[in-house]
Amino acid sequence: MRELRSKELWRAVLAELLGMTLFIFLSISAAIGNTNNTDPDQEVKVSLTFGLAIATLAQSLGHISGAHLNPAVTLGMLASCQISVVRAFLYTLAQMLGSALASGIVYGTRPNTTDALGLNSLSGVSPSQGVGIELLATFQLVLCVIAVTDKRRRDVSGSAPLAIGLSVCLGHLAAISYTGCGINPARSFGPALILGNFTDHWVYWVGPMSGGVAAALVYDFLLAPKMDDFPERMKVLVSGPVGEYEVNGADEAATVEMTSK
Protein backbone atom coordinates (compact mmCIF):
# COMPACT_ATOMS: atom_id res chain seq x y z
CA MET A 1 0.00 0.00 0.00
CA ARG A 2 2.90 2.37 0.70
CA GLU A 3 4.18 1.91 -2.82
CA LEU A 4 0.72 2.39 -4.34
CA ARG A 5 0.48 5.79 -2.64
CA SER A 6 3.69 6.95 -4.28
CA LYS A 7 3.39 9.49 -7.07
CA GLU A 8 6.68 8.17 -8.43
CA LEU A 9 5.12 4.75 -9.07
CA TRP A 10 2.26 6.16 -11.11
CA ARG A 11 4.61 8.38 -13.10
CA ALA A 12 6.64 5.27 -13.85
CA VAL A 13 3.54 3.36 -14.95
CA LEU A 14 2.57 6.27 -17.21
CA ALA A 15 6.07 6.26 -18.68
CA GLU A 16 5.75 2.55 -19.49
CA LEU A 17 2.38 3.17 -21.14
CA LEU A 18 3.65 6.10 -23.21
CA GLY A 19 6.93 4.41 -24.06
CA MET A 20 5.25 1.21 -25.18
CA THR A 21 2.76 3.13 -27.31
CA LEU A 22 5.56 4.95 -29.11
CA PHE A 23 7.67 1.82 -29.43
CA ILE A 24 4.91 -0.28 -30.99
CA PHE A 25 3.82 2.52 -33.32
CA LEU A 26 7.36 3.00 -34.61
CA SER A 27 8.25 -0.67 -34.90
CA ILE A 28 5.03 -1.94 -36.46
CA SER A 29 4.93 0.98 -38.88
CA ALA A 30 8.40 -0.02 -40.04
CA ALA A 31 7.36 -3.66 -40.33
CA ILE A 32 4.37 -2.96 -42.60
CA GLY A 33 5.68 0.10 -44.41
CA ASN A 34 7.47 -1.86 -47.11
CA THR A 35 5.73 -4.34 -49.40
CA ASN A 36 8.98 -6.31 -49.79
CA ASN A 37 8.37 -8.11 -46.52
CA THR A 38 10.12 -11.29 -47.67
CA ASP A 39 13.37 -9.63 -48.72
CA PRO A 40 16.44 -9.68 -46.43
CA ASP A 41 16.75 -5.90 -46.53
CA GLN A 42 13.34 -5.63 -44.89
CA GLU A 43 14.44 -7.84 -42.02
CA VAL A 44 17.46 -5.63 -41.42
CA LYS A 45 15.29 -2.50 -41.56
CA VAL A 46 12.81 -3.89 -39.05
CA SER A 47 15.56 -5.16 -36.74
CA LEU A 48 17.28 -1.78 -36.72
CA THR A 49 14.00 0.02 -36.06
CA PHE A 50 13.19 -2.17 -33.07
CA GLY A 51 16.69 -1.77 -31.64
CA LEU A 52 17.00 1.97 -32.21
CA ALA A 53 13.50 2.60 -30.86
CA ILE A 54 14.29 0.75 -27.64
CA ALA A 55 17.63 2.54 -27.27
CA THR A 56 16.02 5.96 -27.77
CA LEU A 57 13.12 5.33 -25.41
CA ALA A 58 15.37 3.75 -22.77
CA GLN A 59 17.50 6.90 -22.87
CA SER A 60 14.40 9.09 -22.64
CA LEU A 61 12.42 7.23 -19.98
CA GLY A 62 14.99 5.14 -18.12
CA HIS A 63 15.28 7.62 -15.26
CA ILE A 64 11.51 7.55 -14.72
CA SER A 65 10.52 3.90 -14.93
CA GLY A 66 13.62 2.03 -15.95
CA ALA A 67 12.11 1.79 -19.44
CA HIS A 68 11.38 -1.92 -19.32
CA LEU A 69 8.95 -1.70 -22.25
CA ASN A 70 8.76 -5.49 -22.24
CA PRO A 71 6.94 -7.87 -19.86
CA ALA A 72 9.84 -10.33 -20.14
CA VAL A 73 12.28 -7.67 -18.91
CA THR A 74 9.87 -6.75 -16.11
CA LEU A 75 9.58 -10.40 -15.06
CA GLY A 76 13.35 -10.74 -15.18
CA MET A 77 13.72 -7.73 -12.90
CA LEU A 78 11.13 -9.25 -10.58
CA ALA A 79 13.04 -12.55 -10.48
CA SER A 80 16.17 -10.53 -9.73
CA CYS A 81 14.35 -8.94 -6.74
CA GLN A 82 14.75 -5.43 -8.09
CA ILE A 83 11.07 -4.47 -8.23
CA SER A 84 7.96 -5.37 -6.27
CA VAL A 85 5.20 -7.69 -7.42
CA VAL A 86 2.79 -4.73 -7.50
CA ARG A 87 5.09 -2.68 -9.73
CA ALA A 88 5.69 -5.66 -12.03
CA PHE A 89 1.94 -6.19 -12.43
CA LEU A 90 1.23 -2.52 -13.17
CA TYR A 91 4.13 -2.29 -15.60
CA THR A 92 2.95 -5.35 -17.52
CA LEU A 93 -0.60 -4.04 -17.64
CA ALA A 94 0.60 -0.65 -18.92
CA GLN A 95 2.80 -2.32 -21.53
CA MET A 96 -0.06 -4.44 -22.86
CA LEU A 97 -2.40 -1.45 -22.94
CA GLY A 98 0.19 0.65 -24.76
CA SER A 99 0.74 -2.08 -27.32
CA ALA A 100 -2.98 -2.46 -27.96
CA LEU A 101 -3.41 1.32 -28.27
CA ALA A 102 -0.53 1.68 -30.73
CA SER A 103 -1.69 -1.33 -32.76
CA GLY A 104 -5.12 0.23 -33.03
CA ILE A 105 -3.59 3.51 -34.22
CA VAL A 106 -1.50 1.73 -36.85
CA TYR A 107 -4.53 -0.31 -37.91
CA GLY A 108 -6.47 2.87 -38.56
CA THR A 109 -3.66 4.72 -40.33
CA ARG A 110 -1.90 1.96 -42.31
CA PRO A 111 -1.73 2.25 -46.12
CA ASN A 112 -4.63 0.89 -48.15
CA THR A 113 -2.16 -1.29 -50.04
CA THR A 114 -1.56 -3.61 -47.08
CA ASP A 115 -3.65 -5.61 -44.65
CA ALA A 116 -0.69 -6.47 -42.43
CA LEU A 117 -0.28 -5.34 -38.83
CA GLY A 118 3.02 -6.93 -37.87
CA LEU A 119 1.33 -10.03 -36.46
CA ASN A 120 3.95 -12.52 -35.30
CA SER A 121 3.62 -16.02 -36.74
CA LEU A 122 5.72 -19.17 -37.02
CA SER A 123 7.49 -19.75 -40.33
CA GLY A 124 8.81 -23.24 -40.97
CA VAL A 125 9.17 -24.14 -37.30
CA SER A 126 6.95 -25.99 -34.85
CA PRO A 127 5.50 -24.30 -31.75
CA SER A 128 8.04 -26.08 -29.52
CA GLN A 129 10.88 -24.89 -31.74
CA GLY A 130 9.39 -21.41 -31.66
CA VAL A 131 9.41 -21.45 -27.87
CA GLY A 132 13.08 -22.40 -27.88
CA ILE A 133 14.00 -19.64 -30.32
CA GLU A 134 12.07 -17.03 -28.37
CA LEU A 135 13.53 -18.24 -25.07
CA LEU A 136 17.13 -17.94 -26.24
CA ALA A 137 16.61 -14.61 -28.01
CA THR A 138 14.98 -13.15 -24.90
CA PHE A 139 17.60 -14.72 -22.63
CA GLN A 140 20.38 -12.73 -24.29
CA LEU A 141 18.32 -9.54 -24.09
CA VAL A 142 17.49 -9.76 -20.39
CA LEU A 143 21.02 -10.94 -19.60
CA CYS A 144 22.28 -7.79 -21.33
CA VAL A 145 19.86 -5.57 -19.40
CA ILE A 146 20.91 -6.99 -16.04
CA ALA A 147 24.61 -7.13 -16.83
CA VAL A 148 25.11 -3.62 -18.24
CA THR A 149 23.17 -2.05 -15.35
CA ASP A 150 24.99 -3.94 -12.58
CA LYS A 151 26.36 -1.21 -10.31
CA ARG A 152 29.07 -3.51 -9.02
CA ARG A 153 30.83 -3.37 -12.39
CA ARG A 154 33.58 -0.85 -13.04
CA ASP A 155 34.57 -2.15 -16.47
CA VAL A 156 31.54 -0.89 -18.41
CA SER A 157 31.59 2.47 -20.14
CA GLY A 158 29.36 4.00 -22.77
CA SER A 159 25.62 3.90 -23.13
CA ALA A 160 23.59 1.15 -21.47
CA PRO A 161 20.47 2.04 -23.54
CA LEU A 162 22.50 1.64 -26.74
CA ALA A 163 23.81 -1.75 -25.63
CA ILE A 164 20.26 -2.88 -24.85
CA GLY A 165 19.05 -1.55 -28.20
CA LEU A 166 21.77 -3.51 -30.00
CA SER A 167 20.72 -6.62 -28.08
CA VAL A 168 17.13 -6.14 -29.31
CA CYS A 169 18.44 -5.70 -32.85
CA LEU A 170 20.52 -8.90 -32.65
CA GLY A 171 17.57 -10.86 -31.31
CA HIS A 172 15.49 -9.77 -34.29
CA LEU A 173 18.21 -10.55 -36.81
CA ALA A 174 18.46 -14.06 -35.38
CA ALA A 175 14.78 -14.90 -34.92
CA ILE A 176 12.70 -12.78 -37.27
CA SER A 177 12.87 -15.29 -40.14
CA TYR A 178 11.44 -18.08 -37.99
CA THR A 179 9.03 -16.54 -35.50
CA GLY A 180 8.84 -12.86 -36.42
CA CYS A 181 10.84 -12.36 -33.22
CA GLY A 182 8.38 -12.03 -30.36
CA ILE A 183 10.90 -11.39 -27.60
CA ASN A 184 8.46 -8.78 -26.33
CA PRO A 185 5.15 -10.47 -25.38
CA ALA A 186 3.27 -7.16 -25.27
CA ARG A 187 4.41 -6.38 -28.80
CA SER A 188 2.90 -9.71 -29.93
CA PHE A 189 -0.26 -9.10 -27.92
CA GLY A 190 -1.28 -5.77 -29.50
CA PRO A 191 -1.60 -6.88 -33.15
CA ALA A 192 -3.13 -10.22 -32.10
CA LEU A 193 -5.81 -8.40 -30.10
CA ILE A 194 -6.67 -5.90 -32.84
CA LEU A 195 -6.81 -8.59 -35.53
CA GLY A 196 -8.46 -11.17 -33.28
CA ASN A 197 -5.85 -13.73 -34.29
CA PHE A 198 -4.24 -15.62 -31.41
CA THR A 199 -2.88 -18.56 -33.41
CA ASP A 200 0.15 -19.96 -31.54
CA HIS A 201 0.06 -16.83 -29.41
CA TRP A 202 1.09 -18.76 -26.30
CA VAL A 203 4.53 -19.27 -27.89
CA TYR A 204 5.18 -15.54 -27.62
CA TRP A 205 4.50 -15.57 -23.90
CA VAL A 206 5.99 -18.87 -22.73
CA GLY A 207 9.27 -18.45 -24.62
CA PRO A 208 10.12 -14.83 -23.74
CA MET A 209 8.89 -14.97 -20.14
CA SER A 210 10.86 -18.15 -19.50
CA GLY A 211 13.92 -16.59 -21.09
CA GLY A 212 13.61 -13.50 -18.91
CA VAL A 213 13.41 -15.47 -15.67
CA ALA A 214 16.22 -17.80 -16.72
CA ALA A 215 18.55 -14.89 -17.53
CA ALA A 216 17.92 -13.25 -14.15
CA LEU A 217 18.52 -16.45 -12.20
CA VAL A 218 21.64 -17.42 -14.17
CA TYR A 219 23.20 -13.99 -13.69
CA ASP A 220 22.27 -13.52 -10.04
CA PHE A 221 23.06 -17.02 -8.81
CA LEU A 222 25.69 -18.44 -11.19
CA LEU A 223 27.56 -15.79 -13.17
CA ALA A 224 27.64 -12.93 -10.64
CA PRO A 225 26.16 -14.21 -7.36
CA LYS A 226 24.63 -11.61 -5.06
CA MET A 227 23.92 -13.60 -1.92
CA ASP A 228 25.16 -11.25 0.79
CA ASP A 229 22.09 -8.99 0.62
CA PHE A 230 19.59 -11.65 -0.46
CA PRO A 231 17.25 -11.27 2.57
CA GLU A 232 16.98 -7.53 1.97
CA ARG A 233 16.40 -8.02 -1.73
CA MET A 234 13.56 -10.44 -1.02
CA LYS A 235 11.77 -7.67 0.89
CA VAL A 236 11.68 -5.62 -2.31
CA LEU A 237 9.24 -8.12 -3.82
CA VAL A 238 6.61 -7.13 -1.26
CA SER A 239 7.21 -3.50 -0.39
CA GLY A 240 9.58 -2.10 -2.98
CA PRO A 241 13.04 -0.66 -2.20
CA VAL A 242 13.37 0.36 1.43
CA GLY A 243 13.39 4.11 1.93
CA GLU A 244 12.33 4.99 -1.60
CA TYR A 245 8.62 5.45 -1.11
CA GLU A 246 6.78 7.82 1.18
CA VAL A 247 3.14 7.78 2.17
CA ASN A 248 2.60 11.38 1.12
CA GLY A 249 3.88 10.62 -2.37
CA ALA A 250 7.60 10.96 -2.84
CA ASP A 251 8.86 12.76 -5.91
CA GLU A 252 12.21 10.96 -6.04
CA ALA A 253 12.88 9.15 -9.30
CA ALA A 254 13.25 5.39 -9.11
CA THR A 255 16.70 3.95 -9.68
CA VAL A 256 16.09 0.29 -9.08
CA GLU A 257 14.34 -1.01 -12.17
CA MET A 258 17.39 -0.94 -14.42
CA THR A 259 20.00 -1.14 -11.68
CA SER A 260 21.20 -4.31 -10.00
CA LYS A 261 21.73 -4.06 -6.29
Side-chain angles (χ1 to χ4, degrees):
M1 292 300 296
R2 179 179 59 176
E3 188 174 20
L4 286 173
R5 289 193 289 267
S6 165
K7 290 183 290 185
E8 178 276 324
L9 170 64
W10 296 106
R11 292 191 188 106
V13 172
L14 178 60
E16 288 293 308
L17 173 63
L18 176 61
M20 196 66 181
T21 302
L22 293 173
F23 171 60
I24 296 300
F25 175 78
L26 294 170
S27 57
I28 292 183
S29 294
I32 69 173
N34 188 335
T35 57
N36 299 320
N37 290 328
T38 60
D39 291 349
D41 65 316
Q42 173 69 3
E43 294 186 359
V44 174
K45 168 193 170 185
V46 173
S47 299
L48 286 173
T49 301
F50 273 83
L52 291 173
I54 282 293
T56 301
L57 292 169
Q59 188 70 54
S60 303
L61 303 174
H63 64 295
I64 301 174
S65 69
H68 294 189
L69 306 178
N70 186 335
V73 172
T74 297
L75 187 60
M77 290 296 174
L78 181 66
S80 186
C81 302
Q82 297 188 49
I83 59 174
S84 68
V85 174
V86 170
R87 183 177 289 254
F89 173 78
L90 291 175
Y91 272 23
T92 301
L93 189 62
Q95 291 156 5
M96 293 174 66
L97 180 59
S99 178
L101 176 60
S103 298
I105 294 173
V106 175
Y107 183 81
T109 59
R110 62 185 178 176
N112 295 328
T113 56
T114 180
D115 58 357
L117 194 60
L119 181 69
N120 282 330
S121 61
L122 302 179
S123 178
V125 297
S126 67
S128 59
Q129 290 173 318
V131 168
I133 293 170
E134 294 297 311
L135 189 155
L136 291 173
T138 308
F139 182 93
Q140 64 85 29
L141 167 60
V142 178
L143 185 66
C144 175
V145 171
I146 295 176
V148 301
T149 57
D150 189 343
K151 276 192 170 181
R152 298 172 299 169
R153 297 183 63 178
R154 297 294 182 267
D155 61 322
V156 177
S157 60
S159 171
L162 179 59
I164 295 168
L166 289 174
S167 181
V168 171
C169 182
L170 288 173
H172 278 77
L173 288 172
I176 197 171
S177 297
Y178 308 105
T179 64
C181 191
I183 57 176
N184 188 328
R187 173 262 181 273
S188 301
F189 172 77
L193 178 67
I194 298 301
L195 296 177
N197 186 347
F198 289 91
T199 303
D200 295 322
H201 186 67
W202 64 273
V203 170
Y204 301 102
W205 282 90
V206 174
M209 299 301 259
S210 299
V213 171
L217 297 181
V218 167
Y219 187 85
D220 280 356
F221 294 99
L222 295 178
L223 299 179
K226 298 182 289 186
M227 302 302 296
D228 53 341
D229 61 344
F230 186 71
E232 293 299 321
R233 290 170 58 215
M234 286 296 294
K235 295 179 183 178
V236 174
L237 298 179
V238 177
S239 57
V242 177
E244 184 179 354
Y245 306 106
E246 296 180 3
V247 173
N248 63 356
D251 289 329
E252 292 83 353
T255 58
V256 298
E257 293 85 355
M258 296 290 282
T259 304
S260 297
K261 299 266 184 193

